[in-house]
Amino acid sequence: MVVETGFSSPRTDAFPAGLRVLVVDDDPTWLKILEKMLKKCCYEVTTCCLAREALNLLRQRKDGYDIVISDVNMPDMDGFKLLEHVGLEMDLPVIMMSVDGETRRVMKGVQHGACDYLLKPIRMKELRNIWQHVFRKKIHEVRDIESLEGIESIHMTRSGSELFDDEHFLGGEDTTSGRKRKDVDNKRDDKDLGDPSSTKKARVVWTVDLHQKFVKAVNQIGYDKVGPKKILDLMNVPWLTRENVASHLQKYRLYLSRLQKEGDIKTSFMGMKHSDPSSKDSTAGSGLHNSMDLTQDNVSNGSFSFSVNHTLAPSVDLKGHEGDRKGITSGPMTELKGPFSIDITDPRKVKSSKISLDHSLGSVDPNFASFGSTDTRRYSWNEIPEIRFKQEYEPLELENGFSQLPLPVLQHHMLTEYPQPAASVSPGPSITEKEATGSGFEVKPMYDEYRSNHVKHSNLGESHSVNNQVFKPISATTSSMTSQETIPNHLTESEFSPKNMYEGVGIEDLQLCWLQGDYYAMNFGVQGLDCTEYNHPAIISETPFHLYDAPKFEHEHPFDPTDQGLFA
Amino acid sequence: MERNPMRRQLQTMRKSLFDQGHLDEQFVQLEELQDDANPNFVEEVVTLYYRDSARIILNIEQALERKPFDFNKLDAYMHQFKGSSSSIGAKKVKAESTVFREYCRSRNGEGCMRSFQQLKKEYATLRRKLEAYFQVARQAGPMETACRPK
């Protein structure tokens, strides 16, 4: 049986033996039967009867499994939810099983990303061929791999070379993939030298920055009209291909639709939540946010302050609700944990310049679902994250995630990439201008409230003149949407130093810059979401996680974004 | 033709289980999974099934004692039970589960109760027959391969 030693010892004849399967089913009888069946196929089987347990197993060993087979009806978690998580976080092929073969159920499975839907009773022959799903995915991944230029290689090296560690690829059963991996490996070596011309075949790493560009492009085009080619053109990332964008878009859509559902629930609830952050802020010491105070409650409220450290602006503190603004603390940048760490635990650190991206993002979520629609609901930024949180998160889980463990690579991304939008915002004047020219942005009342709150806070906190000036115009104009043109420019600023960002930028700032006249409010949120997304466990998982190979998790952050919000 | 009388008896019992519609193809799948590594695989699975499904039966019984009926819950339980029953190929039991679920969907309490009674009967009958079957199987000694019903 082939072990996952990588392609080092390809056993062509034995393929697909050794395929590592994780079976999840609450029915012990089926679990026993499936285990036996899979073993007869010479697969390596791991069984578990709880979805949560399965997720833990998967997270612990990011590259420990090649494929997941899961029942649809499980007591602790809906199989479709598990399916989504696995797809986002680990990007493994998932096969659904059920005794119910109703078309609508099967459709749901497919919509959620299942690569197959088996009806019980399951036959051996059906299980024998599951390796094709693994193989197919590998092939597609390789195809998606584009030659990377310097930037990407930098990202990659930043992320740690483990990303391309062959081990993280399919555990060696797939010899063809193995060969490809080998190529990647060789190429990677070249790549690490930063040679832009080498055609390194590596998975596209959807960094925070890249994803932001993506979302911005999507917003610009209009979610309804979006298409991979259009996005690609707008993004202006030379090494990115249409296929990369297409697959990312697919995942994004799924994510949004889920948020939409959750958003719907929370819409009314969120309402005026952020109406009075001041109380909270004061505790935090920064105008905006208590974001970090992720207490159990907060957590349950769905505060995803991914912003890790509260110190850095991009802390995506989804918590927004109840006025908790998890902003990004504008503390020393170094503390920024990056999008993936959910530092809910430390509100104190939140500085005035916290940009609770989460807030913006959170609320935006619902917006995502309905891009372009001027849905007032969208602007309750706090909504989404919280919703999510509530629904999925268990306080306990949150806490785990919040250990303020620094997130290595991802954090860097966050630090470097994420702040950009904020940075762009910070220059007061520009923002002001934008605000003045803002158009069409339907800032919802909530936003106004929020904004004013933020303004208040930011003023309270460190002197962020920028904030002040920024906010003034905003307060004045309800729809202070920075002009679309300006924002993009800002966003693409690369010399933005995180430091600046955090100091001068408050959430409002970010919000402002993201609010673009032509963007829908949601865009704003979306933009913000960019941050939040990354912070948001769900989002994060969507972006970096699955985009990265398992290795990514190696250097992984202790934080389990997925834990935080996604899995209730 | 099986020489060993016990084996012959076993085959007869087995055939009858299939002919009478108590078992379906899934049972054969289980038999095919049985091997040297798991010589009593089928019996183990069946035992596991009866143990686990008893819990579901109990849940349904309790749910049927609460009026008004929570049809959604009943349906969910039965869905679970049906899935479980499909694992050993309990054909009649599975069929009755479907009937029960239909009554749940049409919110027919009476139908549910009747159907459940029938289901329990089939469930008990099958268990009896399988217990007897395995008893003979143990006495007859290991069978290399399952005889497929023709």
Side-chain angles (χ1 to χ4, degrees):
Chain A
M1 200 143 89
V2 176
V3 189
E4 58 256 58
T5 47
F7 53 89
S8 51
S9 52
R11 298 262 301 275
T12 327
D13 54 329
F15 177 78
L19 196 74
R20 296 158 307 164
V21 186
L22 176 65
V23 186
V24 190
D25 196 334
D26 64 312
D27 186 330
T29 316
W30 268 114
L31 216 51
K32 186 181 171 82
I33 296 173
L34 290 167
E35 184 182 28
K36 184 70 186 170
M37 282 184 174
L38 291 164
K39 280 190 173 154
K40 279 236 163 176
C41 298
C42 297
Y43 293 156
E44 211 179 277
V45 189
T46 307
T47 59
C48 71
C49 56
L50 284 176
R52 245 166 252 290
E53 189 197 323
L55 278 171
N56 287 339
L57 284 173
L58 287 164
R59 286 176 193 147
Q60 278 164 29
R61 297 181 63 210
K62 290 296 180 183
D63 62 338
Y65 304 96
D66 299 310
I67 188 165
V68 178
I69 302 181
S70 168
D71 189 69
V72 167
N73 298 85
M74 289 188 288
D76 67 328
M77 187 193 294
D78 183 27
F80 295 120
K81 208 172 196 178
L82 172 66
L83 164 59
E84 228 177 79
H85 285 318
V86 175
L88 287 176
E89 278 182 66
M90 296 109 199
D91 198 26
L92 287 175
V94 182
I95 293 176
M96 302 303 292
M97 303 183 285
S98 181
V99 68
D100 181 357
E102 258 177 54
T103 305
R104 140 177 92 81
R105 297 289 276 177
V106 178
M107 174 78 80
K108 195 173 176 188
V110 175
Q111 280 173 340
H112 281 75
C115 56
D116 207 348
Y117 194 107
L118 302 178
L119 289 193
K120 285 178 171 175
I122 297 175
R123 299 293 154 78
M124 264 279 283
K125 59 187 178 212
E126 293 176 90
L127 291 180
R128 267 191 208 286
N129 285 333
I130 61 172
W131 62 266
Q132 63 178 291
H133 303 295
V134 181
F135 189 64
R136 190 181 298 122
K137 218 172 175 86
K138 283 299 161 188
I139 291 180
H140 288 164
E141 281 169 16
V142 174
R143 261 195 239 131
D144 279 353
I145 289 174
E146 293 299 329
S147 52
L148 299 166
E149 291 183 353
I151 296 175
E152 169 111 297
S153 62
I154 289 171
H155 283 187
M156 294 189 304
T157 45
R158 223 195 289 152
S159 318
S161 51
E162 306 91 291
L163 278 178
F164 303 100
D165 190 329
D166 297 309
E167 280 175 345
H168 299 297
F169 280 84
L170 176 58
E173 288 86 12
D174 185 346
T175 53
T176 314
S177 302
R179 274 199 299 277
K180 286 175 180 145
R181 268 179 269 137
K182 216 177 197 96
D183 292 341
V184 175
D185 196 20
N186 295 339
K187 291 200 166 118
R188 189 205 335 171
D189 292 338
D190 296 335
K191 221 30 172 192
D192 284 348
L193 300 177
D195 175 15
S197 57
S198 60
T199 47
K200 177 186 210 147
K201 296 261 177 210
R203 261 188 111 165
V204 172
V205 170
W206 281 90
T207 61
V208 175
D209 181 41
L210 196 61
H211 183 71
Q212 278 174 358
K213 289 200 178 103
F214 170 84
V215 179
K216 191 156 71 77
V218 171
N219 293 340
Q220 248 179 282
I221 298 167
Y223 188 70
D224 300 329
K225 298 176 275 197
V226 88
K229 186 77 176 71
K230 287 183 189 171
I231 298 172
L232 185 64
D233 292 341
L234 265 179
M235 279 177 76
N236 193 26
V237 176
W239 49 266
L240 201 63
T241 68
R242 199 201 143 278
E243 287 74 29
N244 299 147
V245 176
S247 75
H248 192 68
L249 178 63
Q250 190 183 26
K251 292 181 171 118
Y252 189 61
R253 284 197 207 273
L254 263 179
Y255 158 72
L256 288 187
S257 65
R258 184 158 48 74
L259 288 178
Q260 170 70 29
K261 289 192 211 116
E262 292 168 3
D264 288 343
I265 300 166
K266 281 296 177 142
T267 311
S268 48
F269 182 52
M270 277 320 303
M272 308 299 161
K273 289 296 169 142
H274 41 258
S275 49
D276 205 304
S278 43
S279 48
K280 296 230 171 159
D281 293 331
S282 40
T283 44
S286 60
L288 300 175
H289 332 274
N290 302 315
S291 48
M292 295 311 188
D293 67 38
L294 295 179
T295 51
Q296 247 345 57
D297 244 36
N298 286 347
V299 172
S300 50
N301 290 336
S303 48
F304 303 103
S305 31
F306 294 100
S307 50
V308 186
N309 288 304
H310 354 292
T311 48
L312 293 177
S315 57
V316 180
D317 193 336
L318 293 180
K319 217 163 133 133
H321 113 120
E322 313 225 350
D324 280 345
R325 305 279 178 265
K326 297 109 239 52
I328 295 177
T329 53
S330 55
M333 300 256 320
T334 52
E335 292 175 53
L336 183 62
K337 290 207 185 145
F340 304 94
S341 62
I342 298 183
D343 284 342
I344 329 183
T345 50
D346 194 2
R348 307 296 173 267
K349 292 193 194 162
V350 177
K351 307 257 180 104
S352 52
S353 61
K354 277 80 36 289
I355 298 172
S356 42
L357 293 174
D358 294 335
H359 294 302
S360 47
L361 296 173
S363 52
V364 177
D365 283 346
N367 297 341
F368 279 112
S370 48
F371 259 84
S373 51
T374 52
D375 184 353
T376 314
R377 191 176 72 223
R378 302 214 201 116
Y379 305 105
S380 50
W381 293 305
N382 302 321
E383 275 186 58
I384 300 193
E386 293 174 352
I387 294 172
R388 221 186 302 217
F389 223 74
K390 284 189 175 134
Q391 294 175 351
E392 302 171 340
Y393 220 11
E394 284 175 355
L396 185 57
E397 286 178 1
L398 260 171
E399 288 179 336
N400 294 340
F402 294 114
S403 52
Q404 322 213 336
L405 298 170
L407 298 176
V409 182
L410 295 169
Q411 290 171 0
H412 293 313
H413 285 302
M414 187 58 141
L415 283 171
T416 55
E417 260 92 37
Y418 190 72
Q420 285 177 14
S424 55
V425 181
S426 33
S430 55
I431 295 177
T432 313
E433 284 166 24
K434 292 197 196 115
E435 292 167 0
T437 55
S439 58
F441 178 79
E442 280 96 292
V443 178
K444 298 331 172 213
M446 290 176 234
Y447 172 67
D448 290 343
E449 266 180 79
Y450 186 76
R451 261 187 310 124
S452 45
N453 291 329
H454 284 290
V455 179
K456 267 190 275 168
H457 303 307
S458 54
N459 293 342
L460 295 172
E462 303 144 53
S463 54
H464 299 290
S465 54
V466 173
N467 292 345
N468 292 344
Q469 61 191 108
V470 169
F471 294 112
K472 284 196 196 117
I474 296 175
S475 316
T477 57
T478 330
S479 52
S480 47
M481 305 308 300
T482 52
S483 61
Q484 204 164 356
E485 313 76 50
T486 44
I487 297 208
N489 293 342
H490 289 276
L491 289 173
T492 51
E493 268 176 47
S494 46
E495 49 274 29
F496 173 72
S497 73
K499 199 173 178 13
N500 295 341
M501 182 172 78
Y502 298 120
E503 288 177 347
V505 180
I507 285 189
E508 301 84 305
D509 289 347
L510 286 177
Q511 292 171 346
L512 288 178
C513 42
W514 286 345
L515 288 175
Q516 297 183 3
D518 298 351
Y519 283 30
Y520 296 147
M522 161 167 334
N523 290 347
F524 173 88
V526 174
Q527 299 285 5
L529 260 186
D530 289 348
C531 302
T532 8
E533 270 193 51
Y534 287 98
N535 295 333
H536 191 289
I539 304 174
I540 291 181
S541 55
E542 169 171 58
T543 48
F545 287 15
H546 64 255
L547 289 177
Y548 282 65
D549 279 332
K552 163 173 69 149
F553 294 101
E554 321 275 277
H555 45 253
E556 177 95 336
H557 356 278
F559 142 96
D560 249 341
T562 50
D563 283 342
Q564 319 289 320
L566 293 181
F567 314 103
Chain B
M1 187 68 185
E2 190 60 59
R3 297 253 170 87
N4 183 328
M6 291 244 85
R7 291 260 176 99
R8 271 206 300 275
Q9 185 189 0
L10 197 65
Q11 280 179 0
T12 308
M13 289 172 88
R14 186 179 173 281
K15 189 168 184 303
S16 130
L17 281 167
F18 282 101
D19 290 346
Q20 289 173 10
H22 292 290
L23 294 176
D24 62 29
E25 174 67 22
Q26 179 62 16
F27 192 81
V28 178
Q29 288 275 306
L30 296 186
E31 290 174 321
E32 286 176 352
L33 286 174
Q34 190 156 294
D35 55 15
D36 292 340
N38 296 94
N40 301 310
F41 186 71
V42 186
E43 189 179 355
E44 284 166 16
V45 172
V46 171
T47 307
L48 189 55
Y49 161 72
Y50 271 101
R51 194 170 354 121
D52 188 60
S53 58
R55 181 181 49 89
I56 310 174
I57 295 269
L58 190 61
N59 286 340
I60 298 176
E61 254 164 7
Q62 287 172 350
L64 286 173
E65 280 162 19
R66 289 190 278 271
K67 306 284 198 301
F69 287 160
D70 181 345
F71 288 108
N72 291 336
K73 202 166 199 177
L74 286 169
D75 185 61
Y77 282 140
M78 193 48 77
H79 177 103
Q80 218 185 331
F81 182 79
K82 184 178 174 188
S84 213
S85 303
S86 70
S87 72
I88 66 161
K91 197 171 178 181
K92 284 192 180 180
V93 172
K94 213 171 95 170
E96 201 57 48
S97 313
T98 306
V99 171
F100 182 93
R101 289 189 78 194
E102 268 312 305
Y103 282 128
C104 283
R105 298 216 185 104
S106 53
R107 300 317 198 229
N108 185 338
E110 270 299 310
C112 281
M113 291 202 288
R114 267 183 290 122
S115 171
F116 188 58
Q117 293 311 312
Q118 182 62 22
L119 182 134
K120 281 196 286 186
K121 244 202 268 179
E122 298 290 354
Y123 179 75
T125 302
L126 179 63
R127 178 205 245 125
R128 237 182 16 251
K129 289 186 184 257
L130 285 172
E131 273 169 0
Y133 174 78
F134 288 123
Q135 205 164 20
V136 175
R138 268 180 258 124
Q139 290 166 26
M143 285 200 301
E144 298 83 30
T145 47
C147 302
R148 308 193 115 264
K150 296 296 178 253

